[in-house]
């Protein structure tokens, strides 16, 4: 099954689906802010661990979660490694490649580690949100918070089209693999063919989708999951809910730790 | 004044739900894809639009609810000429529902009821009305049990039905289907066509237009058949008269329905009129029994 469907499947059938979207957004964003500002490695680890646990507990398969986590990791690792060679003065490891002397610095390594933890923690906060909240609810809430319509609509389109791109890339690559397109010497040519084929087909798909939406008078509104609830209990509008209080408490603890700085 | 206009509308309505006059269209302004299409759909009819690949079927269908704007020509839907401002387009899209060839392009929401609700929600209906429409649409094509399923987990045939339900929730009186049975196995195709037939029976105002290159399907299913060749409608009328016309069929790169082909053979061999042209294999067997094995 494709990535898109796996994700969409989780968002509608996880244990946290009934928690209000606003609460989840608040929780995820606020925790993210703490993660961005804290200097404590311990706190970052704590947040990363907690967020991952909640997400996995809510119904995401560990295998999928780790797979998705490795995607940003592959982008992060090289740049973090470079940092280790550039910052600081106390070498921990020296070696030379083709006449170049390279030294890995202590300070750079530490900074890199902190940076990476911070990024991964931030990503775990966002993953929590994306994997437990259906896109329609997210858009709904964005609208409630008076986000401009164009931003909301754009978010939906980007969300849908990213997956169109990924799916097209996968199927084009499969077709090329089947014809041995990635053998030696063919790489660059195959890759550029892959990209252009992917773009053309994605454009076609996007156009089909646009027409299908237009045919049903789409005006930027996604039906919310609440439509599915048969007996109305969502009429009462509370600002405060138990889950929200719980989340605030959790974040407050984190905040105290971060500001207090007593834990390392 | 107003009453007078209504009367006129109704008169026109009663005959032709859709009338296309001299429609010309080109995607790239170099090659004409539609070259002066004329066609009429009658209220309550099931019409099949057949043509080989690239004949321009999809292009024609996309004009019927204003998704494409013609370079020349007019489209009349239930007595009103199509205009291309936003308000008029919303109106025509409520009347003309198009089901696209690939349901994966059409289904955008993760859960079935959510997707079916897309049209009504965007028309600005109240929550109660939306729920009512979703319920009715699912009921009309007998898929209430799919209501809470994840759309991507459905079979291809079920997806097609969900796509149709999404269109029916707009409550159109003209249902347009692009290649309704492509990608389905014979049983699912049959099932889908039966569903469409029972839909027509429930609602005798509903007209259905289906584009296809399956002549067998067109012959068995439709009340009327139109043949399209290179952007023109070359013949339209009774299925037997149109699909039995060898010259038209050949030049349009189509094949004659098998039942009809065999019947024509019998017609040549038999000494007298072999009776009504058969619609199905069973009817064909009867003709054979009556004429050849007597
Ligand atoms: N978006 C487009 N841009 C440019 N040309 C197009 C586009 N869509 C279709 N065409 C061209 O218009 C012609 C008619 O295409 P159309 O899709 O209407 O045919 P069709 O009868 O539906 O064929 P099929 O049975 O394969 O679906 C074809 O020559 C096609 O290449
Ligand atoms: Mg087509």
């Amino acid at each position: 099954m494709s990535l898109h469907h796996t994700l969409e499947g989780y968002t509608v059938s996880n244990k946290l689906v009934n928690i209000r979207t606003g609460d989840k957004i608040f929780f995820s964003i606020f925790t993210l802010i703490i993660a961005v500002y804290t200097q404590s490695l311990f706190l970052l680890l704590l947040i990363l661990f907690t967020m991952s646990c909640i997400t996995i507990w809510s119904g995401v398969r560990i295998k999928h979660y780790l797979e998705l986590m490795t995607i940003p990791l592959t982008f992060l690792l090289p740049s973090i490694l470079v940092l280790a060679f550039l910052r600081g003065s106390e070498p921990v490891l020296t070696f030379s490649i083709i006449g170049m002397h390279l030294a890995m610095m202590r300070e750079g390594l530490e900074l890199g580690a902190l940076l990476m933890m911070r990024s991964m923690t931030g990503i775990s906060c966002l993953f929590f949100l994306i994997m437990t909240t259906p896109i329609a609810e997210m858009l709904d809430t964005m609208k409630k918070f008076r986000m401009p319509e164009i931003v909301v609509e754009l978010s939906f389109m980007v969300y849908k089209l990213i997956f169109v791109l990924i799916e097209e890339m996968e199927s084009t690559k499969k077709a090329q693999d089947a014809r041995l397109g990635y053998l030696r010497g063919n790489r660059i040519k195959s890759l550029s063919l892959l990209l252009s084929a992917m773009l053309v087909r994605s454009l076609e798909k996007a156009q089909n989708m646009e027409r299908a939406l237009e045919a049903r008078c789409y005006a930027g509104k996604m039906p919310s999951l609440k439509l599915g609830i048969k007996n109305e209990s969502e009429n009462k509008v509370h600002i405060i809910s138990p889950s929200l209080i719980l989340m605030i408490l959790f974040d407050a603890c984190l905040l105290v730790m971060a500001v207090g700085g007593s834990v390392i | 004044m107003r009453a007078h206009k209504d009367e006129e509308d109704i008169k026109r309505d009663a005959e032709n739900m859709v009338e296309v006059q001299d429609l010309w269209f080109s995607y790239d302004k170099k090659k004409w894809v539609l070259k002066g299409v004329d066609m009429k759909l009658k209220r309550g009819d099931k019409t099949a639009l057949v043509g080989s690949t690239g004949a321009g079927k999809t292009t024609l269908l996309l004009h019927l609810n204003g998704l494409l704007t013609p370079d020349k020509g007019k489209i009349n839907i239930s007595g009103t000429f199509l205009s291309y401002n936003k308000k008029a387009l919303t109106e025509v899209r409520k009347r003309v529902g198009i089901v696209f060839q690939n349901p994966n392009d059409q289904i955008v929401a993760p859960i079935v009821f959510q997707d079916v609700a897309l049209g009504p929600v965007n028309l600005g209906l109240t929550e109660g009305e939306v729920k009512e429409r979703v319920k009715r649409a699912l009921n009309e094509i007998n898929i209430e049990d799919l209501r809470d399923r994840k759309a991507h987990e459905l079979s291809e045939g079920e997806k097609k039905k969900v796509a149709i339900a999404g269109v029916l929730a707009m409550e159109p009186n003209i249902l347009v289907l692009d290649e309704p049975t492509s990608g389905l196995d014979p049983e699912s195709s049959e099932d889908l066509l039966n569903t469409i037939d029972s839909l027509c029976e429930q609602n005798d105002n509903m007209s259905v237009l289906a584009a296809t290159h399956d002549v067998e399907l067109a012959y068995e299913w439709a009340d009327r058949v139109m043949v399209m060749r290179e952007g023109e409608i070359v013949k339209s009328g009774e299925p037997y008269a149109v699909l039995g016309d060898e010259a038209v069929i050949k030049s349009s790169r189509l094949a004659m329905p098998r039942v009809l082909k065999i019947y024509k053979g019998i017609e040549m061999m038999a000494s007298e009129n072999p009776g009504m042209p058969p619609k199905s294999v069973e009817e064909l067997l009867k003709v054979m029994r009556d004429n050849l094995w007597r």
Side-chain angles (χ1 to χ4, degrees), chain B residues 57-58 101 178-179:
Chain B
K57 303 183 293 294
T58 303
Q101 181 169 356
D178 197 359
E179 309 273 358

Side-chain angles (χ1 to χ4, degrees), chain B residues 232-244:
Chain B
E232 282 173 286
I233 303 261
V234 286
K235 185 157 182 162
S236 61
E238 293 273 309
Y240 170 72
V242 175
L243 295 173

Side-chain angles (χ1 to χ4, degrees), chain B residues 181-251:
Chain B
T181 58
S182 76
L184 297 186
D185 59 47
E187 201 175 320
S188 320
S189 302
E190 174 106 20
D191 180 36
L192 188 78
L193 291 176
N194 287 337
T195 308
I196 295 170
D197 284 351
S198 76
L199 196 67
C200 293
E201 273 160 32
Q202 285 169 44
N203 180 354
D204 34 293
N205 281 336
M206 171 92 76
S207 311
V208 182
L209 171 66
T212 177
H213 35 226
D214 186 343
V215 281
E216 311 279 345
L217 179 156
Y219 181 64
E220 276 190 34
W221 172 81
D223 302 326
R224 260 170 51 89
V225 173
M226 304 187 289
V227 175
M228 190 160 193
R229 184 213 306 155
E230 290 170 15
E232 282 173 286
I233 303 261
V234 286
K235 185 157 182 162
S236 61
E238 293 273 309
Y240 170 72
V242 175
L243 295 173
D245 186 333
E246 192 144 3
V248 168
I249 290 293
K250 266 247 167 67
S251 66

Side-chain angles (χ1 to χ4, degrees), chain B residues 76-92:
Chain B
N76 191 317
I77 307 285
S78 319
T80 325
F81 283 106
L82 203 56
S83 53
Y84 293 85
N85 57 58
K86 201 167 170 217
K87 201 161 152 248
L89 283 176
T90 306
E91 274 315 302
V92 75

Side-chain angles (χ1 to χ4, degrees), chain B residues 249-260:
Chain B
I249 290 293
K250 266 247 167 67
S251 66
S252 308
R253 291 197 292 139
L254 294 168
M256 195 180 288
R258 287 209 192 83
V259 171
L260 210 48

Side-chain angles (χ1 to χ4, degrees), chain A residues 139 148-160 218:
Chain A
L139 300 178
E149 212 146 278
I150 177 108
V151 175
V152 180
E153 223 175 302
L154 216 65
S155 313
F156 171 64
M157 289 293 163
V158 169
Y159 173 83
K160 271 284 167 200
Y218 179 70

Side-chain angles (χ1 to χ4, degrees), chain B:
Chain B
M1 183 67 207
R2 179 79 210 141
H4 175 71
K5 187 170 182 295
D6 279 353
E7 253 172 49
E8 217 171 60
D9 277 2
I10 290 162
K11 226 190 293 165
R12 201 164 190 147
D13 228 68
E15 260 305 292
N16 299 317
M17 299 278 271
V18 176
E19 195 173 341
V20 171
Q21 296 167 0
D22 194 30
L23 199 67
W24 291 75
F25 179 81
S26 151
Y27 283 101
D28 52 11
K29 309 294 164 224
K30 283 181 206 136
K31 185 182 138 245
W32 292 111
V33 173
L34 299 183
K35 304 170 194 163
V37 170
D38 285 300
M39 73 165 210
K40 284 176 190 155
L41 296 186
K42 287 205 188 107
R43 176 194 284 272
D45 259 7
K46 294 185 290 181
T47 310
L49 175 65
V50 294
S52 60
T53 203
K57 303 183 293 294
T58 303
T59 309
L60 175 58
L61 299 191
L62 290 176
H63 278 86
L64 298 182
N65 68 353
L67 287 171
L68 291 176
T69 311
D71 293 317
K72 184 170 167 262
K74 278 185 174 167
I75 297 160
N76 191 317
I77 307 285
S78 319
T80 325
F81 283 106
L82 203 56
S83 53
Y84 293 85
N85 57 58
K86 201 167 170 217
K87 201 161 152 248
L89 283 176
T90 306
E91 274 315 302
V92 75
R93 280 166 197 166
K94 283 197 262 177
R95 281 172 175 243
V96 184
I98 298 194
V99 181
F100 292 85
Q101 181 169 356
N102 186 350
N104 293 318
D105 292 334
Q106 187 155 358
I107 300 175
V108 287
I111 305 281
V112 169
F113 74 79
Q114 241 181 329
D115 193 78
V116 177
L118 184 85
V121 163
N122 281 289
L123 290 178
L125 301 181
T126 66
E127 203 171 306
E129 284 171 314
V130 172
K131 282 186 179 175
E132 185 53 40
R133 284 215 183 181
V134 172
K135 200 168 145 200
R136 214 177 314 152
L138 292 176
N139 183 4
E140 270 174 328
I141 45 178
N142 254 325
I143 50 166
E144 289 111 324
D145 50 324
L146 300 183
R147 182 178 183 280
D148 296 303
R149 294 272 299 277
K150 289 175 201 161
H152 67 263
E153 288 176 357
L154 303 177
S155 74
E156 215 53 27
E158 288 169 331
K159 280 186 194 169
K160 275 258 158 79
K161 286 188 180 179
V162 170
I164 297 176
V167 168
L168 286 180
M170 311 270 297
E171 304 199 330
N173 44 13
I174 299 152
L175 182 64
V176 177
L177 303 139
D178 197 359
E179 309 273 358
T181 58
S182 76
L184 297 186
D185 59 47
E187 201 175 320
S188 320
S189 302
E190 174 106 20
D191 180 36
L192 188 78
L193 291 176
N194 287 337
T195 308
I196 295 170
D197 284 351
S198 76
L199 196 67
C200 293
E201 273 160 32
Q202 285 169 44
N203 180 354
D204 34 293
N205 281 336
M206 171 92 76
S207 311
V208 182
L209 171 66
T212 177
H213 35 226
D214 186 343
V215 281
E216 311 279 345
L217 179 156
Y219 181 64
E220 276 190 34
W221 172 81
D223 302 326
R224 260 170 51 89
V225 173
M226 304 187 289
V227 175
M228 190 160 193
R229 184 213 306 155
E230 290 170 15
E232 282 173 286
I233 303 261
V234 286
K235 185 157 182 162
S236 61
E238 293 273 309
Y240 170 72
V242 175
L243 295 173
D245 186 333
E246 192 144 3
V248 168
I249 290 293
K250 266 247 167 67
S251 66
S252 308
R253 291 197 292 139
L254 294 168
M256 195 180 288
R258 287 209 192 83
V259 171
L260 210 48
K261 205 165 183 175
I262 298 170
Y263 172 77
K264 294 234 156 187
I266 297 171
E267 205 174 26
M268 275 203 300
M269 283 183 275
S271 46
E272 52 197 279
N273 186 342
M276 288 282 286
K279 270 279 184 187
S280 59
V281 175
E282 286 74 27
E283 285 180 33
L284 174 67
L285 284 173
K286 188 172 172 299
V287 172
M288 287 164 97
R289 242 188 342 260
D290 293 351
N291 289 279
L292 304 180
W293 300 325
R294 238 184 335 212

